[in-house]
């Protein structure tokens, strides 16, 4: 890769890591449904200027419902209910494990021995993290968070049905799907008055956080990532996503004073190591290479 593009890949990973912190700041003022709705409403603004890609609506809706709505609503709900930001940034990256597993079930694509080894290592890390659940956040919050990587993995596989279309246009229109159902959910759960009041009384920190998450992390960063995947092989680009949990954890430590006990920290490191084994191994199959990494 050219040095400039290496810099872009690192910048995208840093943006996605910082987006976990920005999401947490926004969730101090907005409910998970409303925050996620605003995220995609902002990210969908380019739809005013780009044409809908040549993808059927049913495919767009299916991809967006899993890759975006399901993934980020679960993530936001879990963070709002006490799951530490740094831990969430690691758990979401486990989507790589589920992508490979679901590809076996759906497409009979058999993983290589190195991929299987990576899955085993990451699974051990997840079990170690599970051993820390219940102390500073509930089992229910952790269970909801696990919906995020599972939904993300399903979206990765559905994304195969939208190949050979402009990346920026595709993701702009994918962002158009979640806002209305999420806003309806916010009205149903929080009530119209509370929802409107939260929007009217948002602080400058809240607005800046939402603009960062919606415009920079979701819209711009995905476009840059798509450009890199267009110009280089996924094997060259995707490993940069391993920087995301480290950036998210470090930023959370600085901003929120988040700390990790020995068991949880070891589990987080082992999860990332297992994913690294999967992504960096030579593979004849396409599934992990086609799997997009986590944004926040």
């Amino acid at each position: 890769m050219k040095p400039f593009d290496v810099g872009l890949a690192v910048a995208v990973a840093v943006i996605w890591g910082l987006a976990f912190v920005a999401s947490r700041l926004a969730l101090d003022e907005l409910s998970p449904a409303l925050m996620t709705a605003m995220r995609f409403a902002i990210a969908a603004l380019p739809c005013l200027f780009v044409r809908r890609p040549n993808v059927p609506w049913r495919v767009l809706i299916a991809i967006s419902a899993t890759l975006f709505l399901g993934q980020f609503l679960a993530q936001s709900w879990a963070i709002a209910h006490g799951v530490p930001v740094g831990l969430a940034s690691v758990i979401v990256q486990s989507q790589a494990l589920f992508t490979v597993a679901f590809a076996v079930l759906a497409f009979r694509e058999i993983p290589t021995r190195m991929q299987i080894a990576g899955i085993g290592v990451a699974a051990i890390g997840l079990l170690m993290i599970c051993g820390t659940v219940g102390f500073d956040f509930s089992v229910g919050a952790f269970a909801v968070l696990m919906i995020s990587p599972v939904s993300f993995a399903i979206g990765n596989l559905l994304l195969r049905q939208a190949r050979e279309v402009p990346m920026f246009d595709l993701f702009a229109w994918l962002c158009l799907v979640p806002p209305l159902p999420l806003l309806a959910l916010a009205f149903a759960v929080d009530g119209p008055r509370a929802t409107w009041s939260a929007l009217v009384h948002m602080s400058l920190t809240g607005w800046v956080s939402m603009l960062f998450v919606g415009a920079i992390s979701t819209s711009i960063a995905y476009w840059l990532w798509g450009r890199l995947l267009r110009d280089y092989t996924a094997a060259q680009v995707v490993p940069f996503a391993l920087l995301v949990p480290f950036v998210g954890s470090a930023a959370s430590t600085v901003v929120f004073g988040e700390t990790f006990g020995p068991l949880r920290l070891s589990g987080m490191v082992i999860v990332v190591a297992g994913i690294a084994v999967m992504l960096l191994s030579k593979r004849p199959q396409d599934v992990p290479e086609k799997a997009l990494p986590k944004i926040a």
Side-chain angles (χ1 to χ4, degrees), residues 57-119:
W57 271 110
R58 59 179 179 79
V59 175
L60 278 176
I61 292 173
I63 296 172
S64 183
T66 50
L67 191 65
F68 282 165
L69 194 156
Q71 177 199 166
F72 286 104
L73 180 59
Q75 181 190 131
S76 298
W77 194 94
I79 292 174
H81 286 78
V83 177
V85 171
L87 179 60
S89 67
V90 174
I91 294 299
V92 173
Q93 287 300 320
S94 67
Q95 58 86 16
L97 284 69
F98 294 106
T99 301
V100 173
F102 293 158
V104 173
L105 297 175
F107 304 113
R108 301 294 188 268
E109 295 184 356
I110 307 302
T112 65
R113 291 182 179 178
M114 287 298 292
Q115 286 179 327
I116 294 173
I119 291 172

Side-chain angles (χ1 to χ4, degrees), residues 65-71 146-156:
T66 50
L67 191 65
F68 282 165
L69 194 156
Q71 177 199 166
M146 289 305 300
I147 296 173
S148 182
V150 171
S151 183
F152 191 8
I154 295 171
N156 280 338

Side-chain angles (χ1 to χ4, degrees), residues 26-37 76 80 185-186 189-190 195 198:
L27 286 166
D28 286 340
E29 305 182 32
L30 304 172
S31 69
L34 183 56
M35 192 280 279
T36 310
S76 298
L185 178 62
V189 174
D190 307 319
T195 299

Side-chain angles (χ1 to χ4, degrees), residues 2-229:
K2 297 177 181 178
F4 178 76
D5 290 333
V6 170
L8 280 183
V10 172
V12 170
V14 170
I15 288 170
W16 282 338
L18 294 177
F20 280 92
V21 173
S23 297
R24 174 66 179 79
L25 292 172
L27 286 166
D28 286 340
E29 305 182 32
L30 304 172
S31 69
L34 183 56
M35 192 280 279
T36 310
M38 286 190 62
R39 172 188 195 131
F40 290 110
I42 294 170
L45 289 177
C47 289
L48 298 173
F49 310 102
V50 299
R51 294 182 177 180
R52 181 170 68 88
N54 187 24
V55 177
W57 271 110
R58 59 179 179 79
V59 175
L60 278 176
I61 292 173
I63 296 172
S64 183
T66 50
L67 191 65
F68 282 165
L69 194 156
Q71 177 199 166
F72 286 104
L73 180 59
Q75 181 190 131
S76 298
W77 194 94
I79 292 174
H81 286 78
V83 177
V85 171
L87 179 60
S89 67
V90 174
I91 294 299
V92 173
Q93 287 300 320
S94 67
Q95 58 86 16
L97 284 69
F98 294 106
T99 301
V100 173
F102 293 158
V104 173
L105 297 175
F107 304 113
R108 301 294 188 268
E109 295 184 356
I110 307 302
T112 65
R113 291 182 179 178
M114 287 298 292
Q115 286 179 327
I116 294 173
I119 291 172
V121 170
I124 292 172
L126 283 175
L127 290 175
M128 293 173 67
I129 292 172
C130 289
T132 70
V133 172
F135 294 98
D136 51 347
F137 60 92
S138 68
V139 174
F142 185 74
V144 171
L145 178 60
M146 289 305 300
I147 296 173
S148 182
V150 171
S151 183
F152 191 8
I154 295 171
N156 280 338
L157 299 181
L158 291 175
L159 197 60
R160 289 181 166 194
Q161 300 181 50
R163 291 177 176 176
E164 299 180 0
V165 296
M167 185 68 66
F168 184 82
D169 298 9
L170 173 63
F171 280 101
W173 281 83
L174 287 175
C175 291
L176 188 64
V177 175
L180 285 180
L182 286 170
L183 188 59
L185 178 62
F187 282 165
V189 174
D190 307 319
R193 180 175 297 180
T195 299
W196 177 250
S197 178
L199 290 173
V200 170
H201 295 97
M202 276 183 68
S203 67
L204 179 61
T205 298
W207 280 110
V208 171
S209 297
M210 284 310 314
L211 289 173
F212 181 84
V213 170
I216 298 177
S217 174
T218 305
S219 185
I220 295 177
Y222 251 125
W223 168 63
L224 291 175
W225 194 260
R227 172 188 163 185
L228 291 170
L229 288 173

Side-chain angles (χ1 to χ4, degrees), residues 6 9-11 13-14 17 89 93 238-249 272:
V6 170
V10 172
V14 170
S89 67
Q93 287 300 320
V238 170
F240 283 97
L242 294 174
L243 296 173
V244 174
F246 292 105
V247 174
S249 299
V272 175

